Amino acid sequence: MSTTTDFARIIVNAFSLQSAITSNKILADKGLTTAGWLVLRRLANKEDLSVAALGRAFSLTRQRMFQIVNRLAEKGYVELKINEDEKRARKVLLTDAGRTVLQVVEKELTVLLGDALSELPEKSMEKSARVLRKLTDTVAGNKTDKAES
């Protein structure tokens, strides 16, 4: 079996891990769905996105993304601002509460996954993290710096 095939299997298992995270109480306890958590993560990495841009990023309609964003706004995790350049498009901004809940969730997930991750050598984790970031950027159509890889 090739390294590419093995790594592809790792990626598929990562989807299973995301599913397991979804069913874990960590998100539910914070009033988050998987979609909400992923939107917060996206905003933490690339702030100031419109509802439509978020919808495109997750292959969701603007209406569906607006429902997700509204739920996050009701919890105080995001706020909607009128886009000065295009009045009909609203920008979604991560609030301090959203940033805090995201940090708490990710810290709890790190603790939850800590035992399994502690079995991996640090150099392997660093390299794996870089490769996953590069794969994510490639699939998302983002340009990456060769120096980062």
PDB file of all heavy atoms in Angstrom, residues 113-137:
ATOM      1  N   LEU A 113      -8.406  14.552  23.586  1.00  0.00           N
ATOM      2  CA  LEU A 113      -7.575  13.815  22.632  1.00  0.00           C
ATOM      3  C   LEU A 113      -6.133  13.650  23.100  1.00  0.00           C
ATOM      4  O   LEU A 113      -5.352  12.952  22.466  1.00  0.00           O
ATOM      5  CB  LEU A 113      -7.586  14.545  21.277  1.00  0.00           C
ATOM      6  CG  LEU A 113      -8.961  14.745  20.654  1.00  0.00           C
ATOM      7  CD1 LEU A 113      -8.856  15.621  19.423  1.00  0.00           C
ATOM      8  CD2 LEU A 113      -9.604  13.414  20.319  1.00  0.00           C
ATOM      9  N   GLY A 114      -5.812  14.276  24.220  1.00  0.00           N
ATOM     10  CA  GLY A 114      -4.435  14.313  24.713  1.00  0.00           C
ATOM     11  C   GLY A 114      -3.762  12.977  24.875  1.00  0.00           C
ATOM     12  O   GLY A 114      -2.602  12.802  24.482  1.00  0.00           O
ATOM     13  N   ASP A 115      -4.439  11.999  25.474  1.00  0.00           N
ATOM     14  CA  ASP A 115      -3.813  10.698  25.692  1.00  0.00           C
ATOM     15  C   ASP A 115      -3.398  10.049  24.382  1.00  0.00           C
ATOM     16  O   ASP A 115      -2.286   9.549  24.239  1.00  0.00           O
ATOM     17  CB  ASP A 115      -4.748   9.755  26.458  1.00  0.00           C
ATOM     18  CG  ASP A 115      -4.894  10.149  27.915  1.00  0.00           C
ATOM     19  OD1 ASP A 115      -4.028  10.902  28.429  1.00  0.00           O
ATOM     20  OD2 ASP A 115      -5.868   9.713  28.544  1.00  0.00           O
ATOM     21  N   ALA A 116      -4.290  10.066  23.410  1.00  0.00           N
ATOM     22  CA  ALA A 116      -3.977   9.449  22.121  1.00  0.00           C
ATOM     23  C   ALA A 116      -2.853  10.215  21.427  1.00  0.00           C
ATOM     24  O   ALA A 116      -1.942   9.613  20.849  1.00  0.00           O
ATOM     25  CB  ALA A 116      -5.213   9.407  21.238  1.00  0.00           C
ATOM     26  N   LEU A 117      -2.902  11.537  21.506  1.00  0.00           N
ATOM     27  CA  LEU A 117      -1.878  12.342  20.846  1.00  0.00           C
ATOM     28  C   LEU A 117      -0.526  12.232  21.543  1.00  0.00           C
ATOM     29  O   LEU A 117       0.513  12.368  20.897  1.00  0.00           O
ATOM     30  CB  LEU A 117      -2.318  13.808  20.778  1.00  0.00           C
ATOM     31  CG  LEU A 117      -3.511  14.086  19.867  1.00  0.00           C
ATOM     32  CD1 LEU A 117      -3.942  15.532  19.994  1.00  0.00           C
ATOM     33  CD2 LEU A 117      -3.186  13.740  18.429  1.00  0.00           C
ATOM     34  N   SER A 118      -0.538  11.968  22.836  1.00  0.00           N
ATOM     35  CA  SER A 118       0.728  11.890  23.576  1.00  0.00           C
ATOM     36  C   SER A 118       1.570  10.693  23.128  1.00  0.00           C
ATOM     37  O   SER A 118       2.767  10.655  23.379  1.00  0.00           O
ATOM     38  CB  SER A 118       0.474  11.824  25.083  1.00  0.00           C
ATOM     39  OG  SER A 118      -0.140  10.591  25.420  1.00  0.00           O
ATOM     40  N   GLU A 119       0.956   9.742  22.443  1.00  0.00           N
ATOM     41  CA  GLU A 119       1.700   8.579  21.942  1.00  0.00           C
ATOM     42  C   GLU A 119       2.530   8.913  20.710  1.00  0.00           C
ATOM     43  O   GLU A 119       3.426   8.164  20.343  1.00  0.00           O
ATOM     44  CB  GLU A 119       0.735   7.439  21.608  1.00  0.00           C
ATOM     45  CG  GLU A 119       0.008   6.894  22.819  1.00  0.00           C
ATOM     46  CD  GLU A 119      -1.002   5.817  22.455  1.00  0.00           C
ATOM     47  OE1 GLU A 119      -0.902   5.246  21.343  1.00  0.00           O
ATOM     48  OE2 GLU A 119      -1.879   5.554  23.279  1.00  0.00           O
ATOM     49  N   LEU A 120       2.226  10.044  20.056  1.00  0.00           N
ATOM     50  CA  LEU A 120       2.954  10.425  18.842  1.00  0.00           C
ATOM     51  C   LEU A 120       4.170  11.274  19.198  1.00  0.00           C
ATOM     52  O   LEU A 120       4.081  12.159  20.048  1.00  0.00           O
ATOM     53  CB  LEU A 120       2.051  11.238  17.914  1.00  0.00           C
ATOM     54  CG  LEU A 120       0.841  10.528  17.353  1.00  0.00           C
ATOM     55  CD1 LEU A 120      -0.037  11.534  16.599  1.00  0.00           C
ATOM     56  CD2 LEU A 120       1.263   9.413  16.427  1.00  0.00           C
ATOM     57  N   PRO A 121       5.293  11.016  18.534  1.00  0.00           N
ATOM     58  CA  PRO A 121       6.464  11.880  18.753  1.00  0.00           C
ATOM     59  C   PRO A 121       6.136  13.301  18.293  1.00  0.00           C
ATOM     60  O   PRO A 121       5.401  13.497  17.319  1.00  0.00           O
ATOM     61  CB  PRO A 121       7.539  11.260  17.848  1.00  0.00           C
ATOM     62  CG  PRO A 121       7.046   9.917  17.464  1.00  0.00           C
ATOM     63  CD  PRO A 121       5.555   9.935  17.611  1.00  0.00           C
ATOM     64  N   GLU A 122       6.684  14.281  19.000  1.00  0.00           N
ATOM     65  CA  GLU A 122       6.368  15.681  18.704  1.00  0.00           C
ATOM     66  C   GLU A 122       6.707  16.056  17.262  1.00  0.00           C
ATOM     67  O   GLU A 122       5.959  16.750  16.599  1.00  0.00           O
ATOM     68  CB  GLU A 122       7.098  16.613  19.675  1.00  0.00           C
ATOM     69  CG  GLU A 122       6.579  18.029  19.561  1.00  0.00           C
ATOM     70  CD  GLU A 122       6.915  18.871  20.760  1.00  0.00           C
ATOM     71  OE1 GLU A 122       7.109  18.323  21.842  1.00  0.00           O
ATOM     72  OE2 GLU A 122       6.971  20.087  20.584  1.00  0.00           O
ATOM     73  N   LYS A 123       7.843  15.583  16.755  1.00  0.00           N
ATOM     74  CA  LYS A 123       8.233  15.896  15.369  1.00  0.00           C
ATOM     75  C   LYS A 123       7.191  15.360  14.389  1.00  0.00           C
ATOM     76  O   LYS A 123       6.873  16.021  13.409  1.00  0.00           O
ATOM     77  CB  LYS A 123       9.606  15.302  15.051  1.00  0.00           C
ATOM     78  CG  LYS A 123      10.746  16.007  15.718  1.00  0.00           C
ATOM     79  CD  LYS A 123      11.523  16.776  14.679  1.00  0.00           C
ATOM     80  CE  LYS A 123      12.764  17.354  15.300  1.00  0.00           C
ATOM     81  NZ  LYS A 123      12.824  18.771  15.210  1.00  0.00           N
ATOM     82  N   SER A 124       6.650  14.182  14.657  1.00  0.00           N
ATOM     83  CA  SER A 124       5.619  13.608  13.782  1.00  0.00           C
ATOM     84  C   SER A 124       4.360  14.456  13.814  1.00  0.00           C
ATOM     85  O   SER A 124       3.720  14.671  12.785  1.00  0.00           O
ATOM     86  CB  SER A 124       5.268  12.180  14.212  1.00  0.00           C
ATOM     87  OG  SER A 124       6.354  11.329  14.007  1.00  0.00           O
ATOM     88  N   MET A 125       3.988  14.926  15.006  1.00  0.00           N
ATOM     89  CA  MET A 125       2.789  15.764  15.121  1.00  0.00           C
ATOM     90  C   MET A 125       2.982  17.074  14.381  1.00  0.00           C
ATOM     91  O   MET A 125       2.078  17.536  13.694  1.00  0.00           O
ATOM     92  CB  MET A 125       2.443  16.013  16.589  1.00  0.00           C
ATOM     93  CG  MET A 125       1.800  14.810  17.242  1.00  0.00           C
ATOM     94  SD  MET A 125       0.948  15.175  18.779  1.00  0.00           S
ATOM     95  CE  MET A 125       2.194  15.949  19.754  1.00  0.00           C
ATOM     96  N   GLU A 126       4.164  17.689  14.525  1.00  0.00           N
ATOM     97  CA  GLU A 126       4.423  18.959  13.840  1.00  0.00           C
ATOM     98  C   GLU A 126       4.330  18.784  12.330  1.00  0.00           C
ATOM     99  O   GLU A 126       3.695  19.581  11.641  1.00  0.00           O
ATOM    100  CB  GLU A 126       5.803  19.495  14.222  1.00  0.00           C
ATOM    101  CG  GLU A 126       5.891  20.013  15.640  1.00  0.00           C
ATOM    102  CD  GLU A 126       7.321  20.350  16.056  1.00  0.00           C
ATOM    103  OE1 GLU A 126       8.227  20.343  15.194  1.00  0.00           O
ATOM    104  OE2 GLU A 126       7.527  20.627  17.240  1.00  0.00           O
ATOM    105  N   LYS A 127       4.954  17.723  11.825  1.00  0.00           N
ATOM    106  CA  LYS A 127       4.927  17.476  10.382  1.00  0.00           C
ATOM    107  C   LYS A 127       3.508  17.157   9.913  1.00  0.00           C
ATOM    108  O   LYS A 127       3.055  17.661   8.886  1.00  0.00           O
ATOM    109  CB  LYS A 127       5.874  16.341  10.020  1.00  0.00           C
ATOM    110  CG  LYS A 127       6.033  16.161   8.541  1.00  0.00           C
ATOM    111  CD  LYS A 127       7.136  15.194   8.198  1.00  0.00           C
ATOM    112  CE  LYS A 127       7.341  15.175   6.700  1.00  0.00           C
ATOM    113  NZ  LYS A 127       8.499  14.409   6.315  1.00  0.00           N
ATOM    114  N   SER A 128       2.793  16.343  10.673  1.00  0.00           N
ATOM    115  CA  SER A 128       1.408  16.002  10.320  1.00  0.00           C
ATOM    116  C   SER A 128       0.533  17.242  10.303  1.00  0.00           C
ATOM    117  O   SER A 128      -0.297  17.419   9.399  1.00  0.00           O
ATOM    118  CB  SER A 128       0.835  14.978  11.305  1.00  0.00           C
ATOM    119  OG  SER A 128       1.542  13.765  11.217  1.00  0.00           O
ATOM    120  N   ALA A 129       0.704  18.103  11.288  1.00  0.00           N
ATOM    121  CA  ALA A 129      -0.084  19.342  11.354  1.00  0.00           C
ATOM    122  C   ALA A 129       0.200  20.214  10.140  1.00  0.00           C
ATOM    123  O   ALA A 129      -0.720  20.781   9.542  1.00  0.00           O
ATOM    124  CB  ALA A 129       0.223  20.098  12.645  1.00  0.00           C
ATOM    125  N   ARG A 130       1.477  20.322   9.743  1.00  0.00           N
ATOM    126  CA  ARG A 130       1.827  21.118   8.559  1.00  0.00           C
ATOM    127  C   ARG A 130       1.190  20.534   7.300  1.00  0.00           C
ATOM    128  O   ARG A 130       0.641  21.259   6.480  1.00  0.00           O
ATOM    129  CB  ARG A 130       3.349  21.176   8.382  1.00  0.00           C
ATOM    130  CG  ARG A 130       4.030  22.248   9.195  1.00  0.00           C
ATOM    131  CD  ARG A 130       5.448  22.522   8.712  1.00  0.00           C
ATOM    132  NE  ARG A 130       6.268  21.345   8.512  1.00  0.00           N
ATOM    133  CZ  ARG A 130       6.967  20.723   9.457  1.00  0.00           C
ATOM    134  NH1 ARG A 130       6.933  21.167  10.700  1.00  0.00           N
ATOM    135  NH2 ARG A 130       7.704  19.675   9.174  1.00  0.00           N
ATOM    136  N   VAL A 131       1.259  19.207   7.166  1.00  0.00           N
ATOM    137  CA  VAL A 131       0.690  18.553   5.982  1.00  0.00           C
ATOM    138  C   VAL A 131      -0.825  18.747   5.947  1.00  0.00           C
ATOM    139  O   VAL A 131      -1.398  19.068   4.903  1.00  0.00           O
ATOM    140  CB  VAL A 131       1.061  17.048   5.940  1.00  0.00           C
ATOM    141  CG1 VAL A 131       0.266  16.313   4.885  1.00  0.00           C
ATOM    142  CG2 VAL A 131       2.557  16.878   5.708  1.00  0.00           C
ATOM    143  N   LEU A 132      -1.501  18.593   7.097  1.00  0.00           N
ATOM    144  CA  LEU A 132      -2.952  18.794   7.142  1.00  0.00           C
ATOM    145  C   LEU A 132      -3.336  20.227   6.804  1.00  0.00           C
ATOM    146  O   LEU A 132      -4.305  20.466   6.098  1.00  0.00           O
ATOM    147  CB  LEU A 132      -3.505  18.386   8.510  1.00  0.00           C
ATOM    148  CG  LEU A 132      -3.568  16.884   8.760  1.00  0.00           C
ATOM    149  CD1 LEU A 132      -3.918  16.602  10.217  1.00  0.00           C
ATOM    150  CD2 LEU A 132      -4.567  16.213   7.837  1.00  0.00           C
ATOM    151  N   ARG A 133      -2.552  21.190   7.318  1.00  0.00           N
ATOM    152  CA  ARG A 133      -2.809  22.596   6.985  1.00  0.00           C
ATOM    153  C   ARG A 133      -2.655  22.823   5.482  1.00  0.00           C
ATOM    154  O   ARG A 133      -3.470  23.493   4.857  1.00  0.00           O
ATOM    155  CB  ARG A 133      -1.864  23.528   7.746  1.00  0.00           C
ATOM    156  CG  ARG A 133      -2.392  23.972   9.098  1.00  0.00           C
ATOM    157  CD  ARG A 133      -1.591  25.134   9.676  1.00  0.00           C
ATOM    158  NE  ARG A 133      -0.165  24.886   9.778  1.00  0.00           N
ATOM    159  CZ  ARG A 133       0.425  24.261  10.800  1.00  0.00           C
ATOM    160  NH1 ARG A 133      -0.286  23.825  11.819  1.00  0.00           N
ATOM    161  NH2 ARG A 133       1.717  24.079  10.815  1.00  0.00           N
ATOM    162  N   LYS A 134      -1.594  22.252   4.905  1.00  0.00           N
ATOM    163  CA  LYS A 134      -1.357  22.423   3.475  1.00  0.00           C
ATOM    164  C   LYS A 134      -2.475  21.771   2.661  1.00  0.00           C
ATOM    165  O   LYS A 134      -2.958  22.341   1.686  1.00  0.00           O
ATOM    166  CB  LYS A 134      -0.001  21.838   3.084  1.00  0.00           C
ATOM    167  CG  LYS A 134       0.352  22.111   1.652  1.00  0.00           C
ATOM    168  CD  LYS A 134       1.765  21.724   1.331  1.00  0.00           C
ATOM    169  CE  LYS A 134       2.046  22.093  -0.118  1.00  0.00           C
ATOM    170  NZ  LYS A 134       3.433  22.013  -0.452  1.00  0.00           N
ATOM    171  N   LEU A 135      -2.897  20.569   3.055  1.00  0.00           N
ATOM    172  CA  LEU A 135      -3.999  19.905   2.361  1.00  0.00           C
ATOM    173  C   LEU A 135      -5.282  20.724   2.454  1.00  0.00           C
ATOM    174  O   LEU A 135      -6.001  20.891   1.470  1.00  0.00           O
ATOM    175  CB  LEU A 135      -4.236  18.508   2.940  1.00  0.00           C
ATOM    176  CG  LEU A 135      -3.216  17.444   2.554  1.00  0.00           C
ATOM    177  CD1 LEU A 135      -3.450  16.183   3.381  1.00  0.00           C
ATOM    178  CD2 LEU A 135      -3.284  17.135   1.073  1.00  0.00           C
ATOM    179  N   THR A 136      -5.558  21.251   3.636  1.00  0.00           N
ATOM    180  CA  THR A 136      -6.752  22.077   3.833  1.00  0.00           C
ATOM    181  C   THR A 136      -6.692  23.304   2.937  1.00  0.00           C
ATOM    182  O   THR A 136      -7.666  23.646   2.264  1.00  0.00           O
ATOM    183  CB  THR A 136      -6.882  22.492   5.310  1.00  0.00           C
ATOM    184  OG1 THR A 136      -6.958  21.315   6.105  1.00  0.00           O
ATOM    185  CG2 THR A 136      -8.112  23.349   5.543  1.00  0.00           C
ATOM    186  N   ASP A 137      -5.549  23.979   2.917  1.00  0.00           N
ATOM    187  CA  ASP A 137      -5.393  25.162   2.075  1.00  0.00           C
ATOM    188  C   ASP A 137      -5.531  24.812   0.600  1.00  0.00           C
ATOM    189  O   ASP A 137      -6.155  25.554  -0.165  1.00  0.00           O
ATOM    190  CB  ASP A 137      -4.040  25.833   2.329  1.00  0.00           C
ATOM    191  CG  ASP A 137      -3.996  26.561   3.655  1.00  0.00           C
ATOM    192  OD1 ASP A 137      -5.077  26.873   4.206  1.00  0.00           O
ATOM    193  OD2 ASP A 137      -2.887  26.830   4.153  1.00  0.00           O
TER     194      ASP A 137
END
